[in-house]
Amino acid sequence: GVVHFQTVEPSLTTQERSEVNGNYYGRFSSANREKTVHADFTVSGKKWSGLTSITFSDFGDLRSGSRRNERFPDFGKRLIYQDTDEEGRDVVISNDNPNIQIGTAYSQLDVLQKLRWRPNIHSNAVLNIQYSTSSDVPRYDNLSEIDNDKLRWGEWYYGPQNRFLASLHYRNLKPKRYADQSTLIASYQRIDEDRIERSFGRQVRLHQEEDVHVIGLTGDFTKFLDKDHLFEIDYGIDLQHNLISSTAFSSDVRSGQESGGVLSRYASDFNRWSTMGAFAYLRKKSVNDLFNWSAGLRYNLTDYTLRYSNDDIIDWPELFIEGVNGFNGAVTWSIGGTMNHPSGWQVRALLSSAFRSPNIDDLSKIRVNADEITFPNLDLKPEKSVNAELTAGYSFNSDLKLNATAFYTRLDNAIVRDAFTTPNGLTTWVTSGDTLMVVANQNIAQAEIRGISASFYWDINGAWSLRSSGNWTYGNDTGSGEPLAHIPPFYGQTVLALEKGAFRGRMMVSYNGRKPLDKFGGSEDNPELATPDGALAWMTYNLYSSYSIDERWSVSLALENITDLHYRTFSSGVSAPGRNLIVSLRGNF
């Protein structure tokens, strides 16, 4: 259940003199006029090395596909958009090309600096510093929202999104009594994100500003229980401490005068969120790899404090003003095994439990979405689940492999969004002239998620290969039978690939099934952003190629969505790119 991204680590050299090497590339994409440039260089010594990396991307307004479903010829078209005249008044402008999604352009800068020190063959330390910033990022699904045949918003964007990370990573591979391998990571992050909105024709902007500080400490240890390293135990601890500042105010567009009376996104006085996890994981491999098994235990703990200000525009209960403290803990477990039979069969089975304590978003976020506003519900209980997974695969030979996985999850106290009231019992809330229905995250008794995924791979002749996969997922409230949110429709892809010499090529077909509105999981799946028939099925045809000119230069060329199909992925408010030519040039020194 983890997607793990690891940035490159600066290399060391065995030479007497330091070495300098690097990479650079440029990329252009036609669907959004993307211009990306990147450069990195590494200075390597025997014990010290440093890596510096800079990437800048500028994205224009995204062009969607022009070939639409004949039943919904105007779905996804940006027929009009908002702007301001010379006097600062909102005006409506007709879009000369309705396939251009005006309000999707932004730019981004990312900087990475790493320093590595290896004092001996057993130890390695890396200092990792990252900084990312952006321009204002428009919220297209809101900017394109039509209410009573009029644009609802004059402005809706995220202010520059800034993120700073500093971490120190230390690894020791020298065997000791308590561990043969140990890894320690200490980190600090600061994340700034602002939301600015203004109703069309109004002079007052609403600002919500969040600053998040995250302090983390992780220890990960491995002890081999036999000399062949076939039997091992992994154990460790993970601590995360979050402090969130959430403020809100309004400002006059013309005078710049600021005032209060605006709901903050999270608790307005104080937000603290701390988590701790301690785990132990036992793994046993067989000499011939016929049967491997593993089992694990983890203790999860969350502790939080939320406190609201008594000068908010909402008359919060006294408990909210004094501060709400919460504490949740649970032990989770997993056990699994893999059998690799000489006949070509492979069978994997996994049985596990999971625990998710409501986070700050679940508990206290105040958010406007379409005609709803989400209010805090501090009575939320943790979600718990039991999960089962079974995989069967068969290799006819080294050239053809089939694989299928069935999975099932039973959720207890599943968190869903449903009708709610404000602290003084109101079922609606009026803001910026809009009357919104009040909803909140709430627990239901039980829910189920089940599905199957299947794939095959065929190495046709060493140069050509074919692979394909498909995924089906279903989820529903077992009490009411209502569908769960965030369950995607059927999706998959088929790829025919060629690798010959310096050339790499892929022909890829991506496809998604239809999801009717009655299968949407309520407002969380954004049904107002879909067609009256729900999320439509779609299929795109794509070509990718790359050629290595020599050891230092390579060029890539791609053509996506060749038929220029108009489609939206499930639950999204932005149409996907239309026909898209991508050109990249890479080099190294």
Side-chain angles (χ1 to χ4, degrees):
V2 173
V3 179
H4 182 199
F5 295 92
Q6 183 172 333
T7 52
V8 65
E9 187 166 296
S11 58
L12 298 170
T13 181
T14 58
Q15 306 300 316
E16 293 299 325
R17 298 180 60 183
S18 298
E19 295 182 348
V20 179
N21 58 72
N23 304 276
Y24 39 85
Y25 72 79
R27 170 184 158 112
F28 172 79
S29 174
S30 65
N32 59 357
R33 297 291 188 251
E34 174 200 351
K35 285 81 68 179
T36 293
V37 291
H38 166 87
D40 68 75
F41 67 91
T42 301
V43 179
S44 304
K46 282 189 172 183
K47 293 186 175 183
W48 287 90
S49 62
L51 167 70
T52 301
S53 170
I54 302 175
T55 305
F56 177 76
S57 296
D58 180 73
F59 304 96
D61 290 315
L62 180 64
R63 186 186 69 82
S64 68
S66 61
R67 190 169 62 86
R68 286 175 165 79
N69 186 299
E70 60 183 14
R71 295 184 57 202
F72 308 103
D74 290 332
F75 175 63
K77 284 185 177 179
R78 181 77 145 131
L79 299 172
I80 55 175
Y81 63 94
Q82 54 277 92
D83 205 343
T84 54
D85 61 18
E86 293 180 355
E87 297 180 3
R89 296 173 300 190
D90 287 330
V91 293
V92 177
I93 299 177
S94 296
N95 191 359
D96 294 335
N97 185 350
N99 294 319
I100 302 295
Q101 299 176 94
I102 294 175
T104 51
Y106 73 99
S107 60
Q108 182 171 325
L109 173 68
D110 296 279
V111 180
L112 168 69
Q113 179 65 60
K114 280 190 171 184
L115 295 174
R116 180 183 178 187
W117 178 45
R118 190 178 69 175
N120 53 61
I121 61 173
H122 302 296
S123 302
N124 189 73
V126 177
L127 176 64
N128 179 9
I129 298 175
Q130 300 177 19
Y131 177 71
S132 176
T133 189
S134 71
S135 65
D136 290 339
V137 181
R139 180 69 185 260
Y140 176 79
D141 56 341
N142 288 335
L143 290 174
S144 59
E145 185 177 349
I146 303 293
D147 186 24
N148 293 324
D149 297 324
K150 297 180 180 179
L151 288 167
R152 181 175 178 181
W153 302 99
E155 297 176 311
W156 212 122
Y157 59 92
Y158 296 98
Q161 299 185 74
N162 302 312
R163 171 180 172 269
F164 171 80
L165 163 71
S167 71
L168 183 61
H169 180 287
Y170 174 76
R171 177 175 297 148
N172 191 301
L173 303 179
K174 188 175 182 179
K176 296 181 179 180
R177 177 175 296 180
Y178 65 89
D180 295 302
Q181 298 178 3
S182 56
T183 301
L184 298 173
I185 303 174
S187 63
Y188 167 77
Q189 287 189 80
R190 174 167 178 162
I191 303 165
D192 302 329
E193 185 175 90
D194 306 332
R195 295 167 178 81
I196 299 94
E197 62 186 61
R198 181 177 59 81
S199 296
F200 191 88
R202 293 180 177 266
Q203 282 187 227
V204 177
R205 288 191 183 104
L206 305 182
H207 301 251
Q208 291 180 325
E209 298 185 351
E210 281 75 53
D211 297 328
V212 183
H213 300 265
V214 186
I215 300 171
L217 179 63
T218 300
D220 195 346
F221 308 95
T222 299
K223 182 66 178 177
F224 297 109
L225 304 180
D226 68 320
K227 64 179 182 179
D228 296 319
H229 293 185
L230 298 176
F231 197 14
E232 66 181 73
I233 182 170
D234 298 299
Y235 61 97
I237 191 169
D238 177 58
L239 305 172
Q240 301 290 327
H241 181 67
N242 299 256
L243 293 174
I244 303 102
S245 168
S246 185
T247 59
F249 61 94
S250 62
S251 65
D252 187 277
V253 173
R254 293 193 174 96
S255 68
Q257 182 177 352
E258 296 181 358
S259 58
V262 179
L263 286 172
S264 59
R265 188 170 178 86
Y266 303 104
S268 50
D269 189 54
F270 182 74
N271 297 270
R272 178 189 60 82
W273 178 265
S274 302
T275 64
M276 187 273 283
F279 68 90
Y281 187 71
L282 196 63
R283 183 161 37 200
K284 179 69 170 69
K285 303 176 184 179
S286 60
V287 176
N288 55 8
D289 205 33
L290 177 62
F291 182 74
N292 305 320
W293 63 267
S294 61
L297 284 175
R298 179 183 175 96
Y299 176 67
N300 308 272
L301 181 151
T302 60
D303 181 44
Y304 62 86
T305 300
L306 306 173
R307 191 166 60 238
Y308 292 80
S309 176
N310 57 11
D311 59 359
D312 280 355
I313 61 175
I314 296 177
D315 186 16
W316 297 112
E318 189 63 28
L319 176 64
F320 284 40
I321 304 300
E322 294 175 353
V324 179
N325 298 297
F327 179 91
N328 295 306
V331 175
T332 58
W333 51 267
S334 69
I335 184 169
T338 301
M339 183 195 72
N340 299 291
H341 198 270
S343 64
W345 281 101
Q346 183 186 70
V347 178
R348 296 194 301 269
L350 174 68
L351 187 64
S352 64
S353 67
F355 164 87
R356 190 181 81 86
S357 179
N359 58 34
I360 295 290
D361 257 24
D362 299 319
L363 289 165
S364 67
K365 180 172 65 177
I366 298 177
R367 174 185 181 238
V368 174
N369 181 34
D371 60 353
E372 295 181 346
I373 182 169
T374 303
F375 259 67
N377 176 15
L378 301 184
D379 293 325
L380 275 181
K381 300 176 183 177
E383 290 180 319
K384 296 182 180 181
S385 70
V386 176
N387 317 284
E389 185 176 311
L390 180 64
T391 299
Y394 186 75
S395 298
F396 291 91
N397 48 51
S398 60
D399 300 329
L400 181 60
K401 300 177 181 179
L402 302 178
N403 193 75
T405 298
F407 55 90
Y408 171 84
T409 295
R410 190 195 70 199
L411 273 169
D412 294 315
N413 291 327
I415 297 175
V416 300
R417 192 181 300 163
D418 206 349
F420 202 63
T421 61
T422 65
N424 56 0
L426 298 177
T427 59
T428 60
W429 180 265
V430 178
T431 180
S432 301
D434 297 320
T435 300
L436 307 172
M437 300 298 296
V438 176
V439 298
N441 292 315
Q442 301 174 57
N443 295 110
I444 59 176
Q446 198 173 90
E448 292 181 337
I449 301 171
R450 56 201 180 278
I452 187 171
S453 64
S455 65
F456 81 86
Y457 174 80
W458 180 24
D459 186 343
I460 301 173
N461 62 6
W464 290 92
S465 63
L466 180 68
R467 60 180 173 86
S468 185
S469 64
N471 303 267
W472 298 262
T473 308
Y474 306 90
N476 63 281
D477 177 344
T478 54
S480 66
E482 292 295 316
L484 292 181
H486 310 304
I487 304 296
F490 166 80
Y491 66 94
Q493 64 177 214
T494 299
V495 179
L496 179 63
L498 171 64
E499 295 188 12
K500 193 169 185 178
F503 178 80
R504 302 287 186 273
R506 288 182 297 147
M507 293 178 282
M508 182 172 73
V509 181
S510 297
Y511 31 84
N512 252 59
R514 173 177 172 263
K515 185 160 187 172
L517 284 181
D518 60 2
K519 299 298 182 183
F520 276 47
S523 62
E524 291 179 84
D525 283 345
N526 301 319
E528 74 280 359
L529 300 176
T531 73
D533 277 1
L536 303 178
W538 54 265
M539 180 181 294
T540 63
Y541 303 90
N542 314 274
L543 289 173
Y544 301 91
S545 65
S546 65
Y547 183 77
S548 298
I549 301 172
D550 54 32
E551 293 181 354
R552 294 194 171 184
W553 291 95
S554 66
V555 61
S556 300
L557 188 65
L559 188 60
E560 298 179 328
N561 194 1
I562 295 172
T563 63
D564 203 32
L565 178 72
H566 177 271
Y567 68 99
R568 279 190 178 181
T569 55
F570 165 64
S571 193
S572 176
V574 181
S575 298
R579 186 181 296 115
N580 188 22
L581 176 67
I582 305 170
V583 181
S584 301
L585 180 65
R586 295 176 178 269
N588 64 77
F589 61 90

